[in-house]
Amino acid sequence: MLQQTRRTPWVAIDAGILLTDMADIARWLMDQFRGAETEILLENYIFEGGVWPGQVLGILEAKARSGVRVHVTLDAIGSRGFPSAWASRLRAAGAYVHWYHRLRFIGMEHRLRRTHRRIIVVDGQWAAVGGFAFADVWLGAGVSSPPYREALFACRGPIAQHLRLAFARHHPGFPALALPLPGSGTMGPEGGAAWGKGRLLEGLPPRRRGMRRRLLAVLRTARRELWIATPYFNPDPVVRRALQQAARRGVDVRLLLAGRITDHPLLRFGIQAYYQPLMQAGVRIYEYQGAFLHGKYALADGYWVTLGSANLDFLSLWFNHELNIELRSPLAVLLLRSLFVREFAHAQELAMGGWQRRPRWRRTLEWLLAVLDRWAQARALGRRKY
Ligand SMILES: O=P(O)(O)OC[C@H](O)CO
């Protein structure tokens, strides 16, 4: 095996924060960066030129100049809008900028395999994951769509050191990143038992797909509830079948998906071909209204929570480098359940009757897009089987 699935051990979470409004997320991130004393690690799929990203850049540059170790890893495709002058500014200030998978090689596998991870670690203390990106469109600036609905989960405790190690794997030239920072992982006064335990769940391509295996295990063993939020719903047939089987055995399966406001309307259209069999099995489908739902999180049976970068789609489950945090935490369950309830109230649940009455031209288009999707999946998988 070239690379492996990594699930770090369960460790206590000392304190946690769940943020869903992009303005809060942007503020929180900038405050953390401003307060950094020793080290800032930042990895993201998307970091592009703009007003807010420019402010973040200014803080990172100033911090690097003041002696804080600043390491930035950006995906070469997702962050192609990152101005080259910004990379030069960061480097001139003493920061390290690493491009992940530049398109040097030919081959679909290589092109598909992106770092989709969102990792922030500050001073080895606070670690954050989610689906946020450094782009003005996330904040709703300059476009007609309002800010994205996101989910950033930040926590303090030994898991920050695990996240540093995960970050270091994309920074092979810097073994120092793999060493614990003095004072990192210390126990804080807040939290305690309520935050429970957490661990990292990484999807590391190409051979082992830990994210998918873990998801399938949860889908196959859930007994009461399985609520999943994802902006891009396009899993392979095995995962779709597991969702249907869970609903058939009486589990309350709900999907919270992006509605009309999405950056990939064609993709949304294509995957709607899969709605009917899911609804017939008893899966409840909600489409978010009023904003682009971009958060990626799930809740199962009131004891399991996961948040992070992974979409419930083919690319996340088979190709991308993803990073989620899994939590066994009463407080996280409470927060996620309230978040779901709040977001369901802003979503429209699709009714089977109305859905079946959609026009024929629409069904035909969905069918065509689904055929295209199956062809693309088969081509990407090559000789691998689901
Ligand atoms: O792949 P995601 O979930 O990071 O979303 C990416 C943006 O929406 C760009 O299309």
Side-chain angles (χ1 to χ4, degrees), residues 5 7 36 59 68 76 84 87-88 95 103 107 127 137 144-145 154 168 171 220 237 302 307 311 321 329 352 354 361:
T5 298
R7 268 186 275 160
I59 300 171
V68 172
S84 54
S88 312
L103 288 183
V137 68
S144 52
S145 122
H171 254 283
R220 286 169 179 158
L307 308 99
N311 291 312
H321 282 241
S329 146
M352 186 58 136
W361 67 265

Side-chain angles (χ1 to χ4, degrees), residues 45-46 116 118 138 231-232 263-264 292 294 296 311:
Y45 177 52
I46 298 174
H116 198 247
R118 275 66 170 184
W138 254 254
Y232 307 116
D263 62 344
H264 290 298
F292 180 23
H294 196 265
K296 307 125 185 348
N311 291 312

Side-chain angles (χ1 to χ4, degrees), residues 162-209:
H162 295 164
L163 211 56
R164 288 182 77 241
L165 296 175
F167 180 91
R169 282 198 285 280
H170 283 180
H171 254 283
F174 294 94
L177 287 179
L179 300 172
L181 277 182
S184 71
T186 52
M187 305 291 281
E190 310 96 323
W195 274 108
K197 295 185 171 194
R199 70 176 173 185
L200 303 186
L201 174 57
E202 277 190 87
L204 297 179
R207 302 279 173 84
R208 295 192 183 177
R209 295 162 294 274

Side-chain angles (χ1 to χ4, degrees), residues 12-182:
I13 303 284
D14 301 346
I17 297 174
L18 174 64
L19 298 174
T20 54
D21 289 328
M22 250 329 279
D24 293 342
I25 291 176
R27 220 177 356 257
W28 186 87
L29 286 168
M30 289 199 291
D31 285 349
Q32 293 303 312
F33 296 151
R34 280 195 198 100
E37 290 178 358
T38 52
E39 184 185 81
I40 297 172
L41 308 182
L42 181 159
E43 179 167 327
N44 210 296
Y45 177 52
I46 298 174
F47 197 142
E48 61 186 34
V51 177
W52 176 55
Q55 291 167 355
V56 173
L57 185 94
I59 300 171
L60 296 178
E61 192 183 5
K63 281 291 162 180
R65 279 198 199 291
S66 72
V68 172
R69 206 156 65 187
V70 176
H71 286 258
V72 175
T73 298
L74 302 176
D75 185 77
I77 293 222
S79 297
R80 60 194 177 281
F82 189 80
S84 54
W86 286 14
S88 312
R89 271 173 61 186
L90 282 178
R91 287 184 178 125
Y96 298 93
V97 182
H98 174 64
W99 288 103
Y100 182 80
H101 269 192
R102 278 186 188 276
L103 288 183
R104 284 197 202 108
F105 311 102
I106 311 227
M108 188 185 246
E109 279 264 349
H110 187 88
R111 265 178 268 153
L112 286 176
R113 220 175 299 136
R114 315 309 320 165
T115 182
H116 198 247
R117 312 191 301 180
R118 275 66 170 184
I119 297 179
I120 304 289
V121 191
V122 175
D123 293 344
Q125 299 282 337
W126 276 102
V129 298
F132 57 90
F134 296 92
D136 283 337
V137 68
W138 254 254
L139 285 159
V143 289
S144 52
S145 122
Y148 289 9
R149 293 295 298 164
E150 264 300 343
L152 171 146
F153 179 70
C155 56
R156 217 173 60 183
I159 205 163
Q161 180 58 21
H162 295 164
L163 211 56
R164 288 182 77 241
L165 296 175
F167 180 91
R169 282 198 285 280
H170 283 180
H171 254 283
F174 294 94
L177 287 179
L179 300 172
L181 277 182

Side-chain angles (χ1 to χ4, degrees), residues 217-223 226 242-251 281:
V218 172
L219 296 186
R220 286 169 179 158
T221 53
R223 287 160 179 245
L226 199 48
L243 284 165
Q244 287 168 213
Q245 284 162 350
R248 280 203 194 97
R249 63 172 190 269
V251 179

